[in-house]
Amino acid sequence: MSVVGERSRMYIGGAWVGAATGNTMVVTNPATREPLAELPDAGREDVWRAVDEAASAFPKWAATPAIERGRILYRIYSLMTDRRDDLARAITQENGKPFDEAKREVAFATGYFSWFAEEARRVYGDIVPSPVPGKRLWVIKQPIGVVGAITPWNFPATMVTRKIAPALSAGCTVVLKPASATPLTALILARICEDSGLPPGVFNVVTSKSASVVGQVFLEHESVRKIAFTGSTEVGKRLMAGASQQLKRVSFELGGNAPFIVFEDADLAAAADGAVAIKFLRVAGQSCICANRVYVQQSIADRFIPMFVERVKALRVAPGFDAGAQIGPLINGEILEKVDSLVQSAVRQGAQVAAGGTRVTEGALSKGLFYAPTVLTSVREEMDVAREEIFGPVAPVMTFKDEAEVIARSNATRFGLAAYFYTNGMVGVNDPSGYTHEIPFGGFKESGMGREGGHQGIEEYMEVKSISIGM
Ligand code: NAP
């Protein structure tokens, strides 16, 4: 199936439609900055209608037996598997990540449908002993209602399926607003949902470059009972404040500032490979769980840092469809400038550039938004590059003396999403990629609230109801 069919319409109430105003927006390829597609730019009226459609579809979908909902989710899983190359191609085109990485993302994103297809049947309630005679007490779980979902551009498939699979499994209906940079993947997912037999209105996709207008409808429309958001902490806070007006349920997957700690007893080659994988090989560092600060124990810094730098210098920066590409473009000019200004300001404050440190503009790369994989040494915590989420291919390296010190420094951040360490001690983690469908994922502190994945993932989309029966 080609991606082209999805390119001019969005999906509302089971129909492929334009914006009521006729307005459109353009999606561009960050590797070339050429236009890829022209899509509807949904406004208030379109989003309101999408929520109405989701609200009309809700009672029937909620009443559909869980086993049947699970069967449809399993068909979505099968169709995603059949169309995995179309999905991966769309991801590389609109997001820029290397095609092999996009294929891995699609395989992972698909897994949320098989996991939650099975979980639909396992939403159990409780029978609770009554404290008084002549009563039966039940506790049941019910789908919460219409979900307004908002997703970012860094994982155009996974961020969507990690929300919609549990929501649909629970019996909720959904209006999704994908990132304006990466709506094509979401539209292919909508086509897959349509082809799977998912009833009209159960899943709707609105494409829009007016994110705050979409967010405002989700906050104002009384049928939206839950807002599921992945993105920046700042937007999350704004949505949370707005959601208080109608006490809507919210779940947030927000920013991170993950430490990556290398202790002196670690396998240094494995640690250097792990640091490269978790810092650079996920969307060129534009991931919320990327290592944002690398802490190396002083006693091994002279050995570890050159090993790490050598690996970083060997990374291949290239457009995503080039064979062997490892680092694709950044998503937009704003991120590119932010990454470069974090590097330049660190350098002005005394950081040393051990690799990279500039844009890459040679040959065909001059058309895109490429930044050289960068290692900074002599970094100090007060520098912005260590305090802020970098969201790019830059690794600030710092040294530490002992465990107590590095734990205190690692935790001295407003974020709390991911952390990594390499050691040979009793509790070795030594794994840069410990996240999977079967376990819940989510943040502490300003990194978010609520969990996605695991059996907890479905409960985010359910209300608990207590029933007391007089006998
Ligand atoms: P963002 O600016 O917050 O955008 C995320 C989504 O929210 C996009 O769909 C965006 O629409 C929309 N949006 C922007 N302003 C809005 C508003 N006022 N009301 C409603 N929606 C609004 O974040 P980003 O820069 O694209 O994404 C990067 C951030 O996401 C990072 O902080 C990263 O850590 C976080 N993230 C977290 C996780 C996690 O699981 N914790 C996963 C991935 C990313 P437009 O695209 O139209 O701007």
Side-chain angles (χ1 to χ4, degrees):
M1 191 198 72
S2 114
V3 192
V4 177
E6 333 301 329
R7 285 192 175 177
S8 52
R9 299 262 177 253
M10 57 189 172
Y11 187 62
I12 298 179
W16 293 89
V17 298
T21 55
N23 290 348
T24 59
M25 64 176 202
V26 173
V27 183
T28 55
N29 179 339
T32 60
R33 281 185 273 180
E34 282 160 4
L36 273 174
E38 193 176 353
L39 290 175
D41 178 16
R44 190 179 164 83
E45 190 183 329
D46 305 295
V47 186
W48 199 275
R49 193 166 75 73
V51 175
D52 285 341
E53 293 284 352
S56 309
F58 174 69
K60 198 161 167 213
W61 181 244
T64 302
I67 190 168
E68 179 53 24
R69 290 201 302 266
R71 277 193 199 111
I72 295 178
L73 263 68
Y74 203 80
R75 280 205 289 281
I76 298 174
Y77 163 80
S78 301
L79 289 171
M80 280 186 74
T81 306
D82 293 347
R83 299 178 196 176
R84 57 188 178 270
D85 285 350
D86 295 325
L87 285 159
R89 234 184 326 273
I91 291 174
T92 297
Q93 285 178 333
E94 62 183 356
N95 166 282
K97 70 178 69 175
F99 192 41
D100 282 344
E101 195 185 326
K103 286 184 193 165
R104 286 195 296 277
E105 182 190 337
V106 171
F108 191 72
T110 304
Y112 280 108
F113 273 100
S114 63
W115 173 256
F116 284 109
E118 293 156 11
E119 285 296 287
R121 298 163 72 187
R122 306 196 215 294
V123 178
Y124 305 126
D126 296 308
I127 296 175
V128 179
S130 166
V132 291
K135 275 194 180 200
R136 295 255 162 96
L137 301 181
W138 295 351
V139 180
I140 63 165
K141 290 175 191 158
Q142 293 185 319
I144 197 162
V146 176
V147 175
I150 301 177
T151 52
W153 45 265
N154 55 353
F155 295 90
T158 308
M159 294 301 107
V160 172
T161 63
R162 209 169 71 176
K163 291 188 185 343
I164 65 171
L168 300 179
S169 172
C172 294
T173 55
V174 179
V175 178
L176 167 73
K177 190 211 83 69
S180 50
T182 59
L184 298 174
T185 309
L187 291 174
I188 300 179
L189 288 168
R191 178 57 58 93
I192 286 173
C193 287
E194 180 182 36
D195 293 348
S196 73
L198 192 72
V202 172
F203 177 51
N204 308 273
V205 179
V206 291
T207 55
S208 177
K209 62 179 182 196
S210 312
S212 57
V213 171
V214 181
Q216 198 53 37
V217 175
F218 288 174
L219 294 172
E220 279 178 33
H221 199 309
E222 290 189 350
S223 293
V224 175
R225 290 315 311 151
K226 150 134 195 168
I227 296 179
F229 172 77
T230 298
S232 58
T233 297
E234 287 59 40
V235 173
K237 285 180 182 176
R238 236 176 288 155
L239 289 172
M240 187 164 179
S244 69
Q245 294 305 306
Q246 292 177 13
L247 291 178
K248 291 180 198 277
R249 281 261 293 270
V250 288
S251 57
F252 296 129
E253 299 290 350
L254 308 174
N257 181 3
F260 184 103
I261 307 170
V262 188
F263 288 101
E264 60 192 359
D265 57 356
D267 173 338
L268 296 190
D273 289 340
V276 168
I278 195 65
K279 173 70 246 183
F280 295 98
L281 298 179
R282 282 210 177 127
V283 218
Q286 302 167 104
S287 156
C288 54
I289 57 168
C290 269
N292 208 55
R293 295 168 286 160
V294 179
Y295 289 104
V296 186
Q297 199 151 17
Q298 264 166 15
S299 51
I300 47 132
D302 287 350
R303 283 193 294 138
F304 176 80
I305 294 172
M307 290 168 86
F308 180 48
V309 168
E310 185 192 328
R311 283 164 171 75
V312 173
K313 284 185 171 165
L315 290 171
R316 174 134 199 269
V317 180
F321 289 111
D322 281 19
Q326 290 176 295
I327 305 286
L330 301 184
I331 191 74
N332 59 41
E334 214 177 298
I335 297 244
L336 186 82
E337 264 163 41
K338 180 187 169 198
V339 167
D340 193 48
S341 88
L342 285 173
V343 169
Q344 302 317 329
S345 93
V347 168
R348 278 196 300 278
Q349 292 174 67
Q352 311 278 321
V353 178
T358 53
R359 281 190 67 173
V360 187
T361 51
E362 288 131 37
L365 300 186
S366 65
K367 288 195 282 174
L369 300 164
F370 295 89
Y371 201 82
T374 298
V375 178
L376 297 176
T377 56
S378 308
V379 172
R380 296 185 311 278
E381 253 105 8
E382 65 269 22
M383 297 179 183
D384 285 345
V385 78
R387 290 176 37 223
E388 287 188 23
E389 190 179 29
I390 302 169
F391 243 57
V394 176
V397 179
M398 293 174 276
T399 57
F400 66 93
K401 274 208 203 72
D402 58 39
E403 185 182 318
E405 175 202 326
V406 76
I407 289 176
R409 287 168 62 190
S410 296
N411 287 333
T413 164
R414 68 186 171 113
F415 296 111
L417 189 62
Y420 309 90
F421 63 91
Y422 273 68
T423 180
N424 275 335
M426 281 285 287
V427 196
V429 174
N430 305 332
D431 178 7
S433 57
Y435 124 67
T436 179
H437 312 103
E438 289 79 2
I439 54 176
F441 175 89
F444 286 41
K445 300 200 275 185
E446 292 193 18
S447 287
M449 54 171 59
R451 293 293 177 264
E452 294 188 333
H455 71 83
Q456 293 87 344
I458 198 167
E459 292 180 6
E460 294 285 337
Y461 296 93
M462 309 208 81
E463 287 286 16
V464 173
K465 181 186 276 181
S466 296
I467 302 172
S468 168
I469 304 168
M471 300 305 291

Short mmCIF file of all heavy atoms in Angstrom, two decimals, residues 231-234 236-237 252-257 389 413-417 443-449:
data_model
loop_
_atom_site.label_atom_id
_atom_site.label_comp_id
_atom_site.label_asym_id
_atom_site.label_seq_id
_atom_site.Cartn_x
_atom_site.Cartn_y
_atom_site.Cartn_z
N GLY A 231 4.73 14.92 25.48
CA GLY A 231 5.38 16.09 24.91
C GLY A 231 6.17 16.81 25.99
O GLY A 231 6.62 16.20 26.97
N SER A 232 6.28 18.12 25.83
CA SER A 232 7.13 18.87 26.74
C SER A 232 6.44 19.12 28.09
O SER A 232 5.21 19.19 28.17
CB SER A 232 7.50 20.21 26.10
OG SER A 232 6.32 20.93 25.81
N THR A 233 7.23 19.26 29.11
CA THR A 233 6.72 19.52 30.46
C THR A 233 5.91 20.83 30.48
O THR A 233 4.87 20.91 31.14
CB THR A 233 7.90 19.57 31.46
OG1 THR A 233 8.52 18.27 31.45
CG2 THR A 233 7.46 19.90 32.86
N GLU A 234 6.35 21.82 29.73
CA GLU A 234 5.67 23.12 29.75
C GLU A 234 4.24 22.99 29.22
O GLU A 234 3.30 23.48 29.83
CB GLU A 234 6.45 24.14 28.90
CG GLU A 234 7.75 24.61 29.54
CD GLU A 234 8.75 23.49 29.84
OE1 GLU A 234 8.90 22.56 29.00
OE2 GLU A 234 9.37 23.50 30.92
N GLY A 236 2.51 20.22 29.04
CA GLY A 236 1.82 19.34 29.99
C GLY A 236 1.24 20.14 31.16
O GLY A 236 0.09 19.95 31.56
N LYS A 237 2.03 21.07 31.68
CA LYS A 237 1.55 21.87 32.82
C LYS A 237 0.35 22.72 32.42
O LYS A 237 -0.61 22.87 33.18
CB LYS A 237 2.67 22.79 33.32
CG LYS A 237 3.74 22.05 34.11
CD LYS A 237 4.80 23.04 34.55
CE LYS A 237 5.90 22.31 35.30
NZ LYS A 237 7.00 23.21 35.67
N PHE A 252 0.40 12.09 31.60
CA PHE A 252 1.45 12.86 30.92
C PHE A 252 2.74 12.07 30.84
O PHE A 252 3.20 11.54 31.86
CB PHE A 252 1.75 14.15 31.69
CG PHE A 252 0.60 15.11 31.78
CD1 PHE A 252 0.20 15.63 33.00
CD2 PHE A 252 -0.06 15.53 30.63
CE1 PHE A 252 -0.85 16.53 33.08
CE2 PHE A 252 -1.11 16.44 30.70
CZ PHE A 252 -1.51 16.94 31.93
N GLU A 253 3.30 12.03 29.65
CA GLU A 253 4.67 11.52 29.49
C GLU A 253 5.47 12.71 29.01
O GLU A 253 5.31 13.16 27.87
CB GLU A 253 4.71 10.39 28.44
CG GLU A 253 3.86 9.17 28.79
CD GLU A 253 4.41 8.37 29.95
OE1 GLU A 253 5.54 8.63 30.39
OE2 GLU A 253 3.68 7.48 30.43
N LEU A 254 6.34 13.22 29.89
CA LEU A 254 6.97 14.53 29.61
C LEU A 254 8.48 14.42 29.45
O LEU A 254 9.00 13.36 29.12
CB LEU A 254 6.57 15.51 30.71
CG LEU A 254 5.05 15.60 30.95
CD1 LEU A 254 4.71 16.47 32.15
CD2 LEU A 254 4.30 16.08 29.72
N GLY A 255 9.16 15.50 29.71
CA GLY A 255 10.60 15.53 29.44
C GLY A 255 11.43 14.74 30.43
O GLY A 255 10.95 14.31 31.47
N GLY A 256 12.70 14.55 30.09
CA GLY A 256 13.61 13.82 30.97
C GLY A 256 14.98 14.48 31.00
O GLY A 256 15.25 15.42 30.26
N ASN A 257 15.83 13.98 31.89
CA ASN A 257 17.24 14.45 31.95
C ASN A 257 18.05 13.29 32.51
O ASN A 257 18.60 13.36 33.60
CB ASN A 257 17.35 15.70 32.82
CG ASN A 257 18.77 16.22 32.89
OD1 ASN A 257 19.68 15.68 32.24
ND2 ASN A 257 18.99 17.27 33.68
N GLU A 389 16.94 19.51 29.00
CA GLU A 389 16.84 18.36 28.11
C GLU A 389 17.44 18.80 26.76
O GLU A 389 16.96 19.75 26.15
CB GLU A 389 15.36 18.02 27.96
CG GLU A 389 15.11 16.72 27.28
CD GLU A 389 13.62 16.42 27.17
OE1 GLU A 389 12.81 17.35 27.09
OE2 GLU A 389 13.29 15.23 27.16
N THR A 413 17.71 17.16 39.74
CA THR A 413 17.06 17.66 38.53
C THR A 413 15.56 17.66 38.78
O THR A 413 15.07 16.87 39.59
CB THR A 413 17.39 16.77 37.30
OG1 THR A 413 16.47 17.06 36.25
CG2 THR A 413 17.31 15.28 37.62
N ARG A 414 14.84 18.53 38.03
CA ARG A 414 13.37 18.55 38.21
C ARG A 414 12.73 17.37 37.51
O ARG A 414 11.55 17.10 37.65
CB ARG A 414 12.79 19.88 37.73
CG ARG A 414 12.87 20.10 36.24
CD ARG A 414 12.41 21.51 35.87
NE ARG A 414 12.68 21.79 34.47
CZ ARG A 414 11.73 21.96 33.54
NH1 ARG A 414 10.46 21.89 33.85
NH2 ARG A 414 12.06 22.22 32.30
N PHE A 415 13.51 16.65 36.67
CA PHE A 415 12.95 15.52 35.94
C PHE A 415 13.17 14.21 36.70
O PHE A 415 13.97 14.14 37.63
CB PHE A 415 13.60 15.42 34.56
CG PHE A 415 13.32 16.60 33.68
CD1 PHE A 415 14.31 17.49 33.35
CD2 PHE A 415 12.04 16.82 33.18
CE1 PHE A 415 14.06 18.59 32.53
CE2 PHE A 415 11.77 17.91 32.37
CZ PHE A 415 12.78 18.80 32.04
N GLY A 416 12.48 13.15 36.27
CA GLY A 416 12.67 11.84 36.87
C GLY A 416 12.10 10.77 35.96
O GLY A 416 11.04 10.21 36.21
N LEU A 417 12.77 10.51 34.83
CA LEU A 417 12.18 9.59 33.85
C LEU A 417 12.99 8.32 33.67
O LEU A 417 12.44 7.22 33.71
CB LEU A 417 12.02 10.32 32.51
CG LEU A 417 11.21 9.57 31.46
CD1 LEU A 417 9.77 9.35 31.94
CD2 LEU A 417 11.19 10.34 30.14
N GLY A 443 6.92 8.71 34.20
CA GLY A 443 7.88 9.55 34.91
C GLY A 443 7.50 9.90 36.33
O GLY A 443 6.33 9.88 36.71
N PHE A 444 8.52 10.23 37.13
CA PHE A 444 8.37 10.84 38.45
C PHE A 444 8.55 12.35 38.26
O PHE A 444 8.97 12.82 37.23
CB PHE A 444 9.49 10.37 39.39
CG PHE A 444 9.37 8.97 39.90
CD1 PHE A 444 8.96 7.92 39.09
CD2 PHE A 444 9.72 8.68 41.22
CE1 PHE A 444 8.89 6.62 39.58
CE2 PHE A 444 9.65 7.39 41.71
CZ PHE A 444 9.23 6.36 40.89
N LYS A 445 8.29 13.09 39.31
CA LYS A 445 8.52 14.54 39.34
C LYS A 445 7.96 15.21 38.08
O LYS A 445 6.85 14.87 37.65
CB LYS A 445 10.02 14.84 39.55
CG LYS A 445 10.56 14.26 40.85
CD LYS A 445 11.84 14.94 41.31
CE LYS A 445 13.08 14.37 40.69
NZ LYS A 445 14.33 14.95 41.19
N GLU A 446 8.72 16.11 37.44
CA GLU A 446 8.16 16.84 36.30
C GLU A 446 8.28 16.07 34.99
O GLU A 446 8.11 16.62 33.92
CB GLU A 446 8.82 18.22 36.20
CG GLU A 446 8.44 19.11 37.36
CD GLU A 446 8.80 20.57 37.15
OE1 GLU A 446 9.04 20.99 36.02
OE2 GLU A 446 8.84 21.30 38.16
N SER A 447 8.58 14.78 35.09
CA SER A 447 8.60 13.96 33.87
C SER A 447 7.25 13.33 33.57
O SER A 447 7.09 12.65 32.56
CB SER A 447 9.67 12.87 33.98
OG SER A 447 10.94 13.45 33.86
N GLY A 448 6.28 13.52 34.45
CA GLY A 448 4.95 13.06 34.07
C GLY A 448 4.16 12.44 35.18
O GLY A 448 4.59 12.37 36.34
N MET A 449 2.96 11.93 34.82
CA MET A 449 2.13 11.20 35.77
C MET A 449 1.31 10.20 34.98
O MET A 449 0.97 10.42 33.83
CB MET A 449 1.23 12.14 36.57
CG MET A 449 0.37 13.05 35.75
SD MET A 449 -0.84 13.93 36.75
CE MET A 449 0.20 14.78 37.89
#
